[in-house]
Amino acid sequence: MAYERVHMIWEYWEGPRSGIADCGGRPFHFSCVYDEHEYAYTDSFVLTPFDEGTFALAQEEWAIWRRWEADFHAGRVLRESHPSYGHYDPRYNELRQLLNGEIERRSAQALKMRGEFRPAVSEQEAFPGQLHLFEVEWSPAD
């Protein structure tokens, strides 16, 4: 296996927990498996395939997030204007609903894989505090 691109991170807690990354060169939504008995995240992820149209919706949603993130770090907007609150760009929540629906609809096609994330070598950090870009290596889960 080789490291592949992480396109976007939707949740981050001590590492990427959900978002969209390539697996076998195709975009998949990934979601970390949480161990309820250990009260900890595992290195296992549920990967749900995205088609080109769904991936385009995710890229549109991510572009709204990145604009907000840049505005927030530049001091142009407050934390309370986070896109999920619906004030920054109402399209954000529309897109999130569509994406969540597609993830649910495609759940029967989901795979369970182990993921090893590492920071990607990149010069693309636009401002201090921006979430670093990552890449991931997937392997079969036990």
Side-chain angles (χ1 to χ4, degrees):
M1 300 296 281
Y3 279 89
E4 298 188 77
R5 180 176 180 188
V6 175
H7 294 279
M8 54 199 78
I9 298 172
W10 291 350
E11 294 177 67
Y12 186 95
W13 181 260
E14 299 177 347
R17 298 297 169 212
S18 74
I20 300 176
D22 286 344
C23 180
R26 293 183 42 222
F28 281 74
H29 171 263
F30 65 88
S31 181
C32 189
V33 175
Y34 187 79
D35 185 329
E36 296 289 337
H37 294 92
E38 297 291 326
Y39 302 105
Y41 286 104
T42 68
D43 63 352
S44 293
F45 293 81
V46 175
L47 276 66
T48 306
F50 273 9
D51 61 19
E52 287 183 30
T54 305
F55 184 53
L57 294 174
Q59 289 173 308
E60 182 183 352
E61 187 247 17
W62 188 242
I64 294 169
W65 163 258
R66 296 299 291 232
R67 280 196 316 273
W68 177 84
E69 186 182 32
D71 285 348
F72 174 73
H73 285 285
R76 293 186 290 267
V77 297
L78 300 173
R79 186 176 305 277
E80 294 78 21
S81 70
H82 188 282
S84 65
Y85 298 149
H87 304 297
Y88 186 79
D89 186 333
R91 178 75 171 142
Y92 183 88
N93 285 336
E94 291 174 28
L95 292 164
R96 184 48 63 105
Q97 274 191 312
L98 290 169
L99 292 167
N100 287 342
E102 281 299 306
I103 292 165
E104 180 65 30
R105 191 175 71 76
R106 296 170 181 273
S107 63
Q109 301 170 37
L111 314 168
K112 191 169 182 184
M113 303 285 279
R114 291 199 184 284
E116 181 181 318
F117 291 83
R118 70 180 184 190
V121 176
S122 174
E123 301 296 325
Q124 295 183 4
E125 186 173 77
F127 45 82
Q130 177 190 27
L131 208 55
H132 293 285
L133 301 175
F134 283 86
E135 53 190 13
V136 60
E137 183 176 45
W138 301 111
S139 60
D142 295 334

